[in-house]
Amino acid sequence: EGAAIDLDLMTASETPVEIKKAGKGVELTDEAVLSGVGDPLNEANLQLALSIAAKVDNDLLAAAKTGTQKAGIAFGGTVADLVTGLDMFADDEAIALIVNPADASALRIDAHENFLSGSEIGANNFINGVYGEVLGVQIIRSNKVEVGEAILIKEGALGLALKRDVQIEADRDIVKKTTVITADEHYAAYLYNDTKVVQYGSGE
């Protein structure tokens, strides 16, 4: 009672990030639109949006790979390998493992009854495309990482600064009788918290 509360100095740091513009476009002739099955114009819009999203996803994965925490081993698809990486974290926040499909299958076999399928996890997913869960870690299969490579990543590890979300525009060329459709997005994908990423790799 009556004692002064100790005060700590609050500090902040900053990291510059590069804003990118990802863009893609297609040109459809009237003949292609009229003779195509379905709705080629709407399908083009969808495919362009998916293409931009894939580019952003690639950049987020590249940002995760800049993390400095290393597991010190290649990921061999065992629960023991998973524990090696988990031991580098100090708390129990939501965690995902991005891993090659072959290593994900090996982990499922090694975990036996301790493997929960994606359907069993249900609404507890914090990331899309969950294959399953082992030791509370949500497993994400990706061909964007090689066999033996893997990334443990916590919620809040990555940042995505959107200067402008996906914008899709269309215009007519009345001379050639074509429709030009383009999509672009302005963003920066970056590693927000280095302590929330652990990498496995055969080169460790």
Side-chain angles (χ1 to χ4, degrees):
E1 183 179 354
I5 297 174
D6 293 333
L7 302 178
D8 290 328
L9 178 65
M10 182 177 287
T11 62
S13 61
E14 62 181 30
T15 301
V17 295
E18 178 183 352
I19 300 296
K20 292 184 177 182
K21 179 173 78 170
K24 195 170 184 66
V26 296
E27 184 174 12
L28 301 175
T29 65
D30 286 356
E31 289 80 3
V33 172
L34 293 171
S35 63
V37 176
D39 189 344
L41 290 175
N42 281 336
E43 182 63 23
N45 287 339
L46 174 63
Q47 293 297 326
L48 288 174
L50 290 174
S51 178
I52 298 297
K55 170 58 177 168
V56 174
D57 184 68
N58 289 344
D59 286 349
L60 284 168
L61 183 60
K65 289 182 177 181
T66 65
T68 59
Q69 293 193 116
K70 310 292 183 180
I73 59 171
F75 189 81
T78 68
V79 175
D81 293 337
L82 183 59
V83 170
T84 297
L86 289 176
D87 285 345
M88 300 184 69
F89 290 132
D91 49 45
D92 295 325
E93 296 174 314
I95 303 175
L97 176 75
I98 302 173
V99 64
N100 185 274
D103 288 332
S105 296
L107 178 60
R108 180 173 190 162
I109 293 170
D110 190 64
H112 296 291
E113 68 274 6
N114 294 318
F115 183 93
L116 295 177
S117 68
S119 60
E120 292 176 288
I121 300 169
N124 293 324
N125 294 354
F126 82 92
I127 190 169
N128 290 331
V130 175
Y131 170 62
E133 184 177 290
V134 178
L135 300 179
V137 177
Q138 296 180 11
I139 312 302
I140 310 297
R141 296 182 296 179
S142 174
N143 287 314
K144 297 176 183 178
V145 294
E146 300 294 328
V147 172
E149 293 182 350
I151 303 173
L152 273 173
I153 184 166
K154 288 187 177 184
E155 192 170 14
L158 300 176
L160 181 64
L162 281 178
K163 302 301 287 184
R164 190 178 74 194
D165 207 347
V166 178
Q167 180 171 298
I168 300 176
E169 297 178 286
D171 200 5
R172 288 285 296 167
D173 184 328
I174 62 172
V175 176
K176 293 168 40 178
K177 295 299 180 180
T178 61
T179 301
V180 176
I181 306 172
T182 63
D184 72 299
E185 180 173 343
H186 296 246
Y187 67 95
Y190 58 97
L191 181 60
Y192 179 74
N193 190 334
D194 185 54
T195 67
K196 294 188 174 188
V197 174
V198 171
Q199 295 187 72
Y200 297 84
S202 56
E204 303 300 342

